[in-house]
Each structure stands twice: as structure tokens, then as C-alpha cells.
Amino acid sequence: MRPSLLDPLFASLQSLKGIGPRFAVFIAKLCGPLVVDLIWHRPFRVIDRRAAPPIMRAMPGDIVTLEVEVEHIDIGKHGKPSRVRVSNNTGFLDVVYFKAYEATLQKQFPIGEKVVVSGTFDDFNGKKQITHPEYVVPVARRNEIPAVEAVYNLTAGLPSKSLRKSIQLALERAPELPEWIDAGYLKKQNWAAWQKALQTLHNPQSDAECAPQNPARCRLAYDELLANQLALALTREKTRVLKGRSLKSDGTLQKKLLSQLPFALTKSQTEAIKEIGTDMQSGDRMLRMLQGDVGSGKTLVALMAMLQAVEAGAQACLMVPTEILAQQHFASISKMMNGIPVTITLLHGKLNAAAKREALEDMESGKAGIIIGTHAVFQDDVRFHNLGLIVIDEQHRFGVHQRLALSDKGVTPDLLVMTATPIPRTLTLTAYGDMEGSRLTEKPAGRRVIDTRTIPLGRLDEVMEAVARKIKTGEKVYWVCPLVEESELIDLAAATDRYAKMKLHLGEANVALVHGQMKSAEREKEMERFTKGNARLLIATTVIEVGVDVPDATLMVIEHAERFGLAQLHQLRGRVGRNDKPSACLLLFAEPLGEIAKARLKMMRETDDGFKIAEEDLRLRGPGEVLGKRQSGYPDFKLADLAAHGELLQTARDDTKLMINKDPELESERGKALRHLLYLFQYDKAIKTLRSG
Ligand code: ADP
Ligand code: MG
């Protein structure tokens, strides 16, 4: 149970004075639905209102706060702005309003009296003026104008004043909390207590105080990282308590598989298989991540590991993020396993009742040796006979929370996670703590460099012609439609639109369409039309992003490439270049391109090295963006900035290790304080792993 001390922070936004349903929607969109989300919404700079220069010396763009006397009001007519002439002994200026009621102006600016005006100074054709000042108050109330004001990210429809006020109200809800940071470390850093640090964070006195190096920010960033590391560690401990088991085999099935493949393993595949094999044989539980660029042959490595589990008398399960992928893996693995006596079972949410029942029975009876499935594997009615190994493909879609759900099922098999997105090390740490790592660094022999070009959308016709030519030669083409928003429906409109045009252009039989909203049977049918050869062009939303393997595809067209992240583009590009023919990738972009988009597209033209691309993406966009927010299992830090707080992360990790050794159930005084911290950052599930959680 969450300590009641925290309840006020976990109330809805509307429980704050002045936030009605309308603002609640805006604020929720901006930072989240709870009061606590507001306190994490940090300012990124300040407005300093302390400048009060002589009017004659003020420069355009200056924020000034001036004490002035009101001379006269000139109400604007026929769409002209209203002007209030004010002055002091350093000069005069006009306060300008484009829309204002006469009565309001007269009340705010009593003729002959003194007022304080704060806003941005401007010089308009030689006329000194302030347009729409943020503050106008009588001299007696000048302390209502803040000397320095925090500036926050906003969303359309939400005035900065309302947001600031809401945040201040939210801050009043922040209680003093027991200290969870190690006393020695806190002292060494000279950090303030949590509540105090929060106050400082939201009341910066200069731009510099908004920087990541600011002590208050550092403290709170450390809190966030500590919560993250602790939640990971607890999850890990929980899945580690039941001792792992030794999965030994003499490699008969593996040898058989290798003997019937038309190619030899790459050097790094061989190494990875050995590392994994050793882990599985040992009595400890395996927690290993296999990183390898698109097309580096991870599936085969996974299959070899699964065969070791099967031969040792256990079951192995391969989990993937989408049904399309589950089906593809099922098909390709079944093909590779041709003649090897292992039952391979497919399980996903859209199987018909009979197929599902059969799959579940086979899993429970132990008949199924290798299970390939989606999230459906997490569901309550799923029981394994003897699950020894779980392989999670494209793991960044399975966050900490899903992994917790898995351990909720009480299964503690060996775990191998695979990712095709090369991930910078700092990011890996925040999602995977100290998981072991294997990397596939080379591509299978025979792969060619993909000729990558960037083309403005204005030349779409030429691209359509190029597609038509490719298709005539019998090769296959992917066409990825833009991700407009995080909304399947809008993406869908773009894809169906393109599909209609392409059908006209190339003939219906040549074009297939897949997207996330299709029924799985229909999608499978479309996919098959493409993979088996009658359709040569596949129009898709990003559902094909991961894993899809169609060796005779040689052209990848990405529409509105500027809207995709680097890692995503890289993944998509990796879909082609999988056979011995030259392949190309056309990145269509809308003009004008922003600086970051330009840099990204240039990077894509210049390199094919996934790790290099990932580091660059991190540099260009910051960790929050690198993997795509919603989908990623990577935490979207609000206070920590991994580029700046790498060292804090390291300390949080070390501190967590000590803590877990000393007080694994978080029962000491500090342990209890740490529970508060976990609740604050909404790692409730991690607390549930504790005996008294
Ligand atoms: P990814 O790492 O992207 O998951 P896959 O496992 O899908 O890559 O492999 C891509 C393709 O390369 C598959 O068709 C697979 O059969 C093939 N492949 C895997 N290993 C090798 C190898 N050592 N030599 C040649 N082709 C290979
Ligand atoms: Mg794969």
C-alpha cells in the first residue's frame, strides 16, 4: 500500500484549485494525469524581470519592468491596436493591445496615476512600445510581479500563468519525506532534502539554475535514477530467488540443424551461441542480452539456444511484439527445423478457439518443444509443462513492467533478450541493469551495402517510376508510410491512400497492404501475397519495422523519412539487402528540412553501422527520443538527463547493489524511505515483489 503521506500527490489534477476539466486535459497531455506529474514538470529557463532601464536606453527584446505614469489612452478603431501612452522621467512609450475592452483599459490604466508594467520592450518604426505586457499593477501592488519567473514547456491552449500557478499548488502538496539517499553521499554532495530541492527546482533564479548541473536538479535526477535502478534490481532479485537450472545437452539437435543450413555461422554467431550455451549449462539463471544489427542473424542464435533447452528436456519460448512477427518466425523456424523432431507451437491472441486450445494443451502437456508467441503468453490461462528458456525478440518493446508480469507468473527460466536496435551503453544500463551481453558484430557473408538516397517528396513521380521498373525485373519493394502521430488510424489513412494510388499505377495483383488494424488472417494473407511472390510491392505502416524477412526485397521506400528516428530508419533499411542483388533505400522527405532531420538523413546516407547510428541518435535527440517514447521499455526520464548524469546513474547502480545486499526486503529505516521513493516514481509493481509489499 502506498503510504498515505503521498496520497495528495496521487490525486487527480482536478483536485487542484483552478484546474477544471479543460485545463486538466491540457496538463495531462503535457505531463500526465496526476498531481505528481506536475511536480516533475521542470522549468527549462527563466524570465528575469528585474531589469528597469531608462526608457531611452531599453533595447528591443529586453524584458523590462517599469514604473510609469499613465498619460492618455487611445482606443484603437477599425482593427487598429489600442495604445496607452505612459512615461516617467527617462522617457515615454506606448503599451499596445490588439484586442482590449475600453473599460478594462481604463480600469488598468487610470489617467495620471502610477502603474508598474512588465513585458517585452520593442521599437516599432521608431515608436517605443510594450505589446501585451504580462503584468500591469498599481504601484502599491508591485510585489505581485515576480522578479524571476520559471519558464515551462507548454501545450497549445494552456496559458503559462495557469501552468505556473498549478505547479506551485502541486508543490504545496509535496510533503517532507524520510530521506532515502545514503547519508554519507548526501552530505558529500551537499544536497538539500527532497522537498527543499523540489522547491528550488521550480523557483530558479537564473537560466544556469535550470541546467542539469544544478544541485537541486542533480538531487532529483539522482532520486529518479535510484528509483529506476532499485526497481530493476528488485525485479531481478525476484526472478533470481528461485535458483536457475542447468540445461545441458550434447548438441545433437544443434549439429543436425547446422548440417542442414545452406550457410555457415558467422564468427560472432558462433561466439554468442557458446556464451549462451555456457550460461544455460550453469546452475545460475541466465539473464543475457543479445545485441545485433538488423540481418546479423539473431534468430538462428536463438534457435540454437532453444534447441539446447529442448534437448535438456525443457521447453523454450520465443516472444515477439507482433503477430506478423510471430507468424514469420514460426514459418522460418519451422522451415529451418525441417526433419528435426521438435514440435513447434504458435500462440497469439488472434488464433481461433480450436487452434488456441490445441496450442495451450500442447504447452501444458509438454508436447510443444518450442513455443513462438506474442504477449498472449502472459495471459492467465497459459501454463507451461516445463519452461526452461524464454527468448524475447526486439526486447525494447517489452519494458520493465512486462518483465515483472512474467515473473508474476512464477516462471523463472533462463532469459535471453534480443535487440536489433543497437543501444548506447548508458541506455542499456537504465533498462537492463547488469545483464550480461553478447554482440553480433558482423553481417552474414554476401550482404551488400545498401545504396541510400534522399529525395524530396516533390519528385514522387520519379520514385513511382523507379518502383515500377524494379517490379518489372521481378524484385520486391517495400513502401513504408509515414508515422503521422502516435495514432494507428491516421497512419492508416496515409497507407490506404498510397495503396489506392499504387494499385492504379501498377495493377491490383502487384500490390499488397498491411497495417496494424487489419484482422490477423487478412494481414497474413496480404503478407503471404508479398512473401510468396504474386504481389511485388508491399505498402505498410511501421508494423513491418521489426524482424520481417523477405530476402528478394531489394528496394525500400520510406515516405516522410524526416518523421522517423534514426534507429527506426536503420531498422527499416535493414529489411533490404538480404540477397546477392544490389539494394537501395529511398528516403523521401518533405521540404523544408529542420537541422536535426537534415543531420539524421545525412547520417543515413553516410553509414550503415548501427551502433554508430545509435550513438548519433542519442546525441541529436536525447535518450527520451531515441527509441520512440511509448513503445520503448526504456524509461522516459523526467529529471535525469543521461548525457549529463551518467555518473549519477553509475552511483545509483552501485548504491542499489549495496542496499540489496544489506536489506533486500527494504525493511530498515532507509529501506522504508526507499519504498516511498519507489511509489513516488510509480514503481508500485517492484514493491509488490517484496515480502511485505
Ligand atoms: P536479425 O538479426 O535481423 O533477426 P535474422 O536472424 O532474421 O536477422 O537473419 C536474417 C537472414 O540471414 C535470415 O534469412 C537468416 O536465415 C540469414 N542468416 C542467418 N545467419 C546467417 C549466416 N551465418 N550466413 C548467411 N545467412 C544467415
Ligand atoms: Mg530478428
Side-chain angles (χ1 to χ4, degrees):
M1 279 283 284
R2 188 172 55 222
S4 55
L5 196 55
L6 297 178
D7 286 348
L9 287 174
F10 284 85
S12 74
L13 289 170
Q14 287 194 56
S15 72
L16 291 173
K17 211 175 121 227
I19 300 189
R22 218 172 95 83
F23 279 167
V25 171
F26 291 140
I27 295 178
K29 192 172 137 209
L30 188 65
C31 50
L34 301 172
V35 173
V36 73
D37 296 317
L38 264 178
I39 68 173
W40 302 141
H41 191 63
R42 59 184 168 77
F44 64 96
R45 66 178 181 90
V46 298
I47 294 176
D48 188 332
R49 298 193 179 281
R50 287 173 296 194
I55 293 174
M56 298 311 295
R57 297 248 184 81
M59 300 297 287
D62 285 355
I63 309 264
V64 298
T65 302
L66 302 172
E67 187 176 320
V68 288
E69 193 177 311
V70 181
E71 291 187 2
H72 61 85
I73 301 177
D74 177 13
I75 297 297
K77 299 242 164 62
H78 312 295
K80 283 200 174 153
S82 298
R83 313 186 75 94
V84 183
R85 171 61 53 89
V86 298
S87 67
N88 61 23
N89 57 12
T90 68
F92 66 88
L93 56 78
D94 285 349
V95 181
V96 179
Y97 291 91
F98 283 88
K99 263 190 186 142
Y101 292 106
E102 192 169 348
T104 318
L105 283 186
Q106 279 164 351
K107 203 165 141 218
Q108 263 192 320
F109 295 96
I111 308 284
E113 289 189 27
K114 282 193 173 160
V115 294
V116 182
V117 176
S118 185
T120 308
F121 184 83
D122 193 13
D123 194 327
F124 180 72
N125 293 339
K127 284 190 209 165
K128 298 182 189 312
Q129 59 187 46
I130 294 176
T131 307
H132 294 243
E134 280 87 33
Y135 297 90
V136 178
V137 298
V139 174
R141 283 174 26 214
R142 78 169 301 150
N143 62 359
E144 281 173 23
I145 302 177
V148 179
E149 216 167 50
V151 181
Y152 295 91
N153 272 325
L154 289 171
T155 181
L158 184 66
S160 57
K161 265 188 201 167
S162 314
L163 179 64
R164 249 191 317 261
K165 213 177 108 215
S166 308
I167 288 176
Q168 291 299 330
L169 287 173
L171 280 180
E172 285 170 20
R173 299 260 185 107
E176 273 182 42
L177 293 175
E179 185 55 70
W180 48 72
I181 296 183
D182 170 73
Y185 187 57
L186 189 75
K187 191 147 176 248
K188 183 172 152 238
Q189 295 288 346
N190 204 10
W191 282 338
W194 178 76
Q195 190 208 41
K196 182 96 188 301
L198 259 188
Q199 300 290 348
T200 310
L201 180 80
H202 287 283
N203 294 290
Q205 295 304 302
S206 65
D207 283 349
E209 287 186 21
C210 297
Q213 292 77 17
N214 177 260
R217 167 84 182 278
C218 282
R219 193 232 133 101
L220 297 166
Y222 184 74
D223 290 344
E224 188 174 33
L225 294 168
L226 187 61
N228 162 267
Q229 290 297 298
L230 191 58
L232 276 173
L234 291 174
T235 312
R236 201 161 47 228
E237 282 311 299
K238 162 98 186 250
T239 54
R240 227 176 223 167
V241 270
L242 292 180
K243 203 159 166 45
R245 48 200 274 216
S246 166
L247 294 171
K248 279 199 191 109
S249 79
D250 65 8
T252 311
L253 291 177
Q254 293 182 332
K255 274 182 213 122
K256 182 130 202 315
L257 172 68
L258 290 183
S259 74
Q260 62 190 46
L261 288 180
F263 48 74
L265 294 174
T266 64
K267 201 162 135 262
S268 47
Q269 277 176 322
T270 308
E271 268 165 33
I273 292 167
K274 210 170 114 211
E275 286 165 348
I276 294 165
T278 310
D279 278 5
M280 289 175 63
Q281 256 186 48
S282 95
D284 292 336
R285 184 161 189 250
M286 173 169 79
L287 289 170
R288 183 172 282 275
M289 171 141 77
L290 175 64
Q291 276 189 297
D293 219 334
V294 180
S296 58
K298 293 182 294 297
T299 313
L300 180 55
V301 173
L303 182 55
M304 292 289 279
M306 294 196 283
L307 287 181
Q308 179 168 338
V310 170
E311 206 177 333
Q315 292 170 299
C317 175
L318 171 64
M319 295 210 312
V320 299
T322 67
E323 279 138 32
I324 289 191
L325 276 174
Q327 282 156 358
Q328 279 224 341
H329 274 120
F330 179 73
S332 67
I333 287 178
S334 300
K335 196 168 140 208
M336 280 197 262
M337 292 281 290
N338 185 26
I340 301 177
V342 174
T343 302
I344 303 171
T345 296
L346 177 67
L347 179 71
H348 58 70
K350 295 200 174 143
L351 289 182
N352 67 37
K356 185 174 174 199
R357 193 169 344 105
E358 192 188 333
L360 291 178
E361 275 168 19
D362 288 354
M363 286 161 73
E364 193 164 357
S365 73
K367 182 179 168 205
I370 291 177
I371 297 103
I372 299 173
T374 58
H375 286 76
V377 172
F378 291 128
Q379 273 150 23
D380 289 341
D381 53 350
V382 176
R383 263 176 298 277
F384 290 94
H385 177 66
N386 178 13
L387 183 60
L389 170 70
I390 295 186
V391 183
I392 301 181
D393 192 11
E394 309 300 352
Q395 108 305 325
H396 60 272
R397 307 258 170 129
F398 289 90
V400 180
H401 292 292
Q402 276 93 359
R403 280 187 286 142
L404 277 166
L406 197 65
S407 57
D408 279 351
K409 289 187 80 68
V411 285
T412 57
D414 282 344
L415 182 64
L416 178 67
V417 293
M418 309 199 291
T419 175
T421 317
I423 300 160
R425 182 162 159 70
T426 7
L427 278 183
T428 318
L429 214 56
T430 61
Y432 289 94
D434 44 37
M435 212 170 227
E436 306 294 329
S438 299
R439 276 186 172 190
L440 300 183
T441 49
E442 32 190 349
K443 293 208 174 160
R447 291 283 155 74
R448 296 185 179 218
V449 172
I450 299 158
D451 180 11
T452 303
R453 301 184 184 194
T454 48
I455 302 174
L457 271 166
R459 286 166 53 194
L460 194 64
D461 287 350
E462 286 169 50
V463 176
M464 306 262 277
E465 289 311 320
V467 169
R469 277 197 305 275
K470 269 281 182 200
I471 286 179
K472 281 218 186 79
T473 68
E475 292 170 36
K476 287 181 183 168
V477 179
Y478 288 106
W479 188 297
V480 178
C481 287
L483 192 75
V484 179
E485 267 179 39
E486 279 185 27
S487 151
E488 276 273 348
L489 284 177
I490 302 177
D491 295 351
L492 187 59
T496 43
D497 196 39
R498 179 62 57 216
Y499 176 59
K501 290 207 181 87
M502 286 302 196
K503 269 197 315 200
L504 275 180
H505 193 61
L506 301 169
E508 181 148 11
N510 273 320
V511 190
L513 169 71
V514 293
H515 56 74
Q517 302 277 305
M518 273 173 154
K519 291 226 167 58
S520 90
E522 192 188 349
R523 196 160 65 192
E524 197 177 348
K525 212 180 81 204
E526 285 292 289
M527 212 54 214
E528 234 176 68
R529 285 181 55 219
F530 182 64
T531 51
K532 303 250 162 86
N534 19 3
R536 303 228 168 80
L537 170 64
L538 180 72
I539 312 266
T541 54
T542 40
V543 287
I544 64 153
E545 182 189 336
V546 282
V548 176
D549 188 18
V550 181
D552 40 352
T554 55
L555 177 63
M556 166 66 67
V557 182
I558 304 174
E559 215 174 313
H560 281 291
E562 79 282 359
R563 293 183 187 162
F564 292 81
L566 266 180
Q568 228 179 352
L569 290 174
H570 180 62
Q571 283 241 3
L572 288 169
R573 178 170 61 182
R575 301 292 129 226
V576 296
R578 293 183 164 219
N579 64 13
D580 50 9
K581 297 201 187 81
S583 284
C585 174
L586 306 180
L587 303 172
L588 310 190
F589 63 89
E591 291 172 294
L593 274 183
E595 282 306 309
I596 289 187
K598 213 180 262 171
R600 263 194 253 158
L601 295 185
K602 179 160 175 273
M603 189 79 194
M604 287 301 295
R605 277 197 314 266
E606 287 174 357
T607 183
D608 188 34
D609 179 333
F611 285 96
K612 219 163 147 187
I613 286 176
E615 297 289 349
E616 180 69 2
D617 210 15
L618 180 65
R619 201 181 63 73
L620 283 176
R621 296 193 301 160
E625 300 287 331
V626 168
L627 295 153
K629 270 187 189 130
R630 296 278 167 252
Q631 308 166 332
S632 102
Y634 289 81
D636 179 14
F637 291 117
K638 295 173 169 148
L639 301 151
D641 169 350
L642 292 180
H645 298 138
E647 238 169 84
L648 294 182
L649 175 62
Q650 197 59 44
T651 311
R653 183 170 172 232
D654 296 344
D655 188 28
T656 297
K657 271 195 189 151
L658 286 177
M659 195 62 203
I660 292 286
N661 279 333
K662 257 198 325 218
D663 179 17
E665 295 293 330
L666 302 184
E667 284 164 336
S668 65
E669 199 179 326
R670 182 169 176 226
K672 284 187 189 131
L674 282 165
R675 289 179 181 224
H676 284 80
L677 175 69
L678 289 170
Y679 278 117
L680 260 186
F681 284 99
Q682 299 180 47
Y683 287 109
D684 301 30
K685 271 208 166 147
I687 297 174
K688 291 216 180 77
T689 66
L690 300 171
R691 220 178 307 148
S692 56

